[in-house]
Amino acid sequence: MNASMKTLRKNVIIAMSVLSMGAASLTVHAQEAAASAPAASTQAKPMHEGHRGGPRGERSGNPAERMAKYQARLHDKLKLTAAQEPAWATFTAANAPKKPMGDWKAKREAMAKLSAPERMEQWIAMSKERIASQESRLAALKTFYAVLTPEQKKVLDDSVPGGKDGGMRGHHRGHGAHHKAG
C-alpha cells in the first residue's frame, strides 16, 4: 500500500469511530429521554420541579414551605437581636417566593405566534423584570447585612447559595466528590 492509501484508510477509520461514538451517545440520550418522558407526563408538577427534585425528591413540595423552613434555620443560626428583627423582616419579605406567573401553556402558545423580533422583545422585557426583582432583593440584603455583627455576616455568607454551606443547595451533600462528607 502506498502512503496516501494508508492515510486515507486511517482517516476513514477515525471518521467511522467518531461517527459510531456520536451515534451511541445519541442513542443513550434518546433512551434516557424516553425513559423519563412517561414519568414526567404522569406528574402534575412543572418540569423544572421534577429535575430539581432529584431521585429522592429532596426538593418536592411547596416552594413557599421550603423557603420558610430555610429562613427559619437561617434565623436560628444568626441568633438575631430584637434590634435586628425589623431588617430581617424586610429581608425575608423581599425574598418571598413570587406568585405563579399564570398559565405557562397559554403563554408558550402566544409566544409561538409572535415573530422572532417580537419574541426577543418579550424575552428582554421578562429579563428586565427579573433584574428589577433581583435589584430589590439586593437592596434588602445590603440593608440587612449592614445591621449584622461580623460573626453573623460570616454565618450568612456561608449559608446563602454559593457560600460554604450553599444555603438551600446544602441538602444535596454526598451527591458528588466535590461535597464534603457530612
Side-chain angles (χ1 to χ4, degrees), residues 111 114-125:
M111 288 286 275
L114 298 175
S115 67
E118 291 170 331
R119 278 195 303 269
M120 181 60 78
E121 287 173 348
Q122 289 294 313
W123 284 112
I124 290 171

Side-chain angles (χ1 to χ4, degrees), residues 60-77:
S60 62
N62 184 333
E65 289 173 12
R66 284 194 311 270
M67 179 62 84
K69 289 178 184 177
Y70 166 72
Q71 288 175 345
R73 285 191 309 270
L74 182 58
H75 185 274
D76 292 345
K77 284 184 191 179

